[in-house]
Amino acid sequence: MKVNSMDNLFQQLNEVLIISFYVLLIVGPLLIAVAFLTYLERKVIAAVQYRKGPNVVGMFGLLQPFADGVKLFSKETIIPASANKIIFVLAPMISFALSLVAWSVIPISENLVLANINVGILYIFAISSLSIYGVIMAGWASNSKYAFLGALRSTAQMVSYEVSIGFVIVCVLLCVGSLNLQDIVLAQKNYWFFIPLFPMFIVFIISALAETNRAPFDLPEDESALVAGYFTEYSSMLFAMFFLGEYSAMILMSSLGVILFLGGWLPPFDYYVFNLVPGFIWFFLKVGILLFIFLWVRATLPRFRYDQLMRLGWKVFLPLSLFWVFITATVLVFFDILPNFYG
Amino acid sequence: MNYTEYLPIFIFIVIAFSMSLGFALLSGFVGPNKPDKEKLSAYECGFEPFEDARVKFDVRFYLVAILFIIFDLEVAFLFPWAISLSLIGLTGYFSMMLFLLILTVGFIYEWKKGALDWE
């Protein structure tokens, strides 16, 4: 009996170790991808503006992100005297950790997923809502006017666009009939959802820009008005963690867009040659395209004014996506083409 | 119900938070630590910060938060409805449409009242 329970314990410990290894297998490449995304961003914007971009550290400047990382890491961590110290330190940690945690349910290909839970999309929705806490805690704890105003704007913007993202997800769910991310991808076997739900795809992309505080919706960090927004008072690694969190959230939003609208790991056409390419390559290719759009938009468009931003969220996207939920449900019900997963 | 699928998520959360704690601690350890009065004061474009930063702010932010709660709750209702629509049929469809209609009336009222306008 005693031996048995010991065996059992070892087995469970072994399982935990294996899972931890898989987790590191996701987090490691993700952080490297984030590092190179910052490099890619500078290169893409440089190319748009007919400059060269970083090209000194390493070949083609490829080691630039690591040089930046080391620099940030070895800087002094300044915690303002008037700040609430514990919340101040906790805020970037929450931002960073939450942007990683959502990755546990993302299916990279048919069999490559860490946790295949049946409410995957709800989990991602919940985690992305939680990331607002990092912002508001940072703004409050800093006890600085710029940080406070930046955090207020940022949270108001994020919650506004989250509503439209919710409606967009409901539209997709109506066409799938399941909350599981694998099911959502497999339901797009015949055609990807961005074809029938094209307006919602556009709403999703633009809301994703606003949700991750990216240009042209990067008002919270409007340099000319609010310095650096909610992370004005941050320095060193605490600042870097906000930065990493933002870029990792960008990759996450792109992956979500690929899963919801661009057929996840499925090849664009069901030909033999396309099927030879492993699924995760298609997945990363599509994520790369969406990420490029993020960077391209930043290099091209001027920043919105705050009232324009709120008007777009509440007066355009909210009615439009609500209306589209109505349209999708009506078409599916009256043409009797509802998906039936549990019947 | 089987909850073993949630074990990786739990482990992921533990690892992610310990990583960020590690980053913060390690960097605080490695970096220099030479605080002085000016460095630790809140940034205000070089001026002395002259009052507490927790000032009164626009009530609209509060309004946005309330509207968000209403609509996000609605989305929370729509999620289970969307995936079980094939089971609940026309009854389910029409009852949700009635709900959406009531909500739309409220939304139009807010719009006309100017709750969505920003100066």
Side-chain angles (χ1 to χ4, degrees):
Chain A
M1 192 66 194
K2 190 103 181 152
V3 177
N4 237 336
S5 71
M6 277 299 273
D7 263 8
N8 211 349
L9 189 73
F10 270 122
Q11 209 176 359
Q12 279 175 349
L13 208 67
N14 201 20
E15 198 183 348
V16 169
L17 277 177
I18 289 172
I19 294 173
S20 310
F21 177 69
Y22 284 140
V23 171
L24 292 178
L25 221 55
I26 294 178
V27 173
L30 178 64
L31 288 181
I32 293 174
V34 167
F36 279 111
L37 183 60
T38 63
Y39 167 78
L40 191 72
E41 171 167 45
R42 293 165 72 174
K43 274 290 188 195
V44 166
I45 292 177
V48 170
Q49 297 167 346
Y50 215 65
R51 291 184 288 117
K52 277 213 170 101
N55 63 352
V56 175
V57 192
M59 208 174 33
F60 306 115
L62 272 172
L63 294 178
Q64 184 69 44
F66 301 104
D68 291 342
V70 169
K71 189 201 87 174
L72 279 167
F73 194 76
S74 56
K75 287 284 178 184
E76 180 175 356
T77 305
I78 301 168
I79 301 177
S82 54
N84 299 42
K85 303 209 169 38
I86 294 173
I87 304 178
F88 186 84
V89 178
L90 218 54
M93 282 166 51
I94 286 181
S95 271
F96 177 65
L98 284 178
S99 69
L100 296 181
V101 159
W103 277 92
S104 52
V105 295
I106 296 278
I108 293 163
S109 83
E110 187 135 21
N111 306 312
L112 278 176
V113 56
L114 186 64
N116 186 13
I117 58 175
N118 55 359
V119 289
I121 192 81
L122 267 184
Y123 173 77
I124 290 186
F125 199 54
I127 294 289
S128 80
S129 308
L130 278 178
S131 60
I132 292 171
Y133 279 101
V135 175
I136 197 118
M137 279 164 75
W140 180 260
S142 297
N143 205 353
S144 152
K145 287 185 192 99
Y146 292 115
F148 183 58
L149 291 174
L152 275 180
R153 281 191 183 189
S154 199
T155 38
Q157 166 184 341
M158 283 161 94
V159 298
S160 301
Y161 283 85
E162 197 179 299
V163 174
S164 350
I165 287 194
F167 284 128
V168 169
I169 291 176
V170 168
C171 283
V172 173
L173 291 181
L174 277 167
C175 304
V176 178
S178 165
L179 292 167
N180 183 298
L181 291 168
Q182 305 241 2
D183 292 342
I184 292 176
V185 172
L186 290 175
Q188 305 178 52
K189 204 114 205 172
N190 296 324
Y191 49 85
W192 298 352
F193 283 151
F194 86 96
I195 301 169
L197 296 172
F198 188 71
M200 289 301 98
F201 178 58
I202 301 296
V203 170
F204 180 84
I205 296 286
I206 298 175
S207 301
L209 287 174
E211 185 79 0
T212 48
N213 287 330
R214 292 287 302 177
F217 305 107
D218 54 347
L219 279 129
E221 23 196 299
D222 185 352
E223 296 92 349
S224 45
L226 283 174
V227 192
Y230 57 90
F231 48 73
T232 302
E233 297 292 339
Y234 283 87
S235 66
S236 174
M237 207 57 200
L238 295 182
F239 166 77
M241 268 155 46
F242 272 123
F243 197 71
L244 292 174
E246 183 182 324
Y247 280 79
S248 141
M250 252 167 82
I251 305 181
L252 180 74
M253 273 309 199
S254 306
S255 312
L256 193 58
V258 167
I259 289 168
L260 290 176
F261 291 102
L262 297 179
W265 65 82
L266 299 171
F269 301 102
D270 201 8
Y271 292 142
Y272 176 68
V273 190
F274 284 138
N275 284 327
L276 283 182
V277 181
F280 66 89
I281 291 188
W282 287 119
F283 184 82
F284 289 131
L285 207 65
K286 294 172 192 172
V287 172
I289 292 172
L290 284 191
L291 281 175
F292 178 72
I293 293 178
F294 268 71
L295 306 181
W296 188 14
V297 164
R298 172 161 182 204
T300 313
L301 296 178
R303 187 179 287 132
F304 267 50
R305 226 172 45 221
Y306 199 66
D307 60 317
Q308 294 171 329
L309 172 102
M310 294 311 259
R311 190 186 323 134
L312 184 69
W314 287 103
K315 292 190 175 176
V316 180
F317 282 180
L318 180 64
L320 180 66
S321 50
L322 187 57
F323 182 64
W324 215 266
V325 169
F326 165 70
I327 293 280
T328 314
T330 309
V331 168
L332 288 175
V333 165
F334 287 99
F335 286 86
D336 205 20
I337 44 175
L338 272 170
N340 194 346
F341 250 88
Y342 304 104
Chain B
M1 283 299 278
N2 188 1
Y3 292 108
T4 50
E5 283 146 1
Y6 290 86
L7 181 67
I9 293 182
F10 177 70
I11 295 174
F12 206 125
I13 291 175
V14 171
I15 289 182
F17 274 92
S18 36
M19 257 179 74
S20 49
L21 186 70
F23 275 158
L25 286 182
L26 220 72
S27 144
F29 220 58
V30 169
N33 188 17
K34 294 191 282 284
D36 63 55
K37 187 169 166 291
E38 294 304 319
K39 200 189 272 179
L40 292 188
S41 68
Y43 177 75
E44 230 161 82
C45 300
F47 290 104
E48 300 267 331
F50 56 88
E51 61 182 20
D52 197 56
R54 280 108 193 221
V55 289
K56 289 178 191 165
F57 59 90
D58 200 337
V59 72
R60 282 175 211 284
F61 287 109
Y62 190 67
L63 209 59
V64 165
I66 291 177
L67 289 179
F68 164 70
I69 289 176
I70 295 170
F71 281 100
D72 218 40
L73 258 182
E74 187 192 350
V75 171
F77 283 137
L78 281 169
F79 268 100
W81 171 78
I83 60 167
S84 57
L85 193 55
S86 60
L87 302 178
I88 53 182
L90 280 180
T91 325
Y93 170 78
F94 280 115
S95 46
M96 184 50 89
M97 286 308 133
L98 187 67
F99 175 67
L100 287 186
L101 187 75
I102 295 170
L103 216 102
T104 310
V105 171
F107 182 65
I108 291 170
Y109 176 74
E110 282 156 20
W111 191 321
K112 291 290 170 210
K113 271 283 179 187
L116 306 175
D117 291 327
W118 288 73
E119 292 303 307

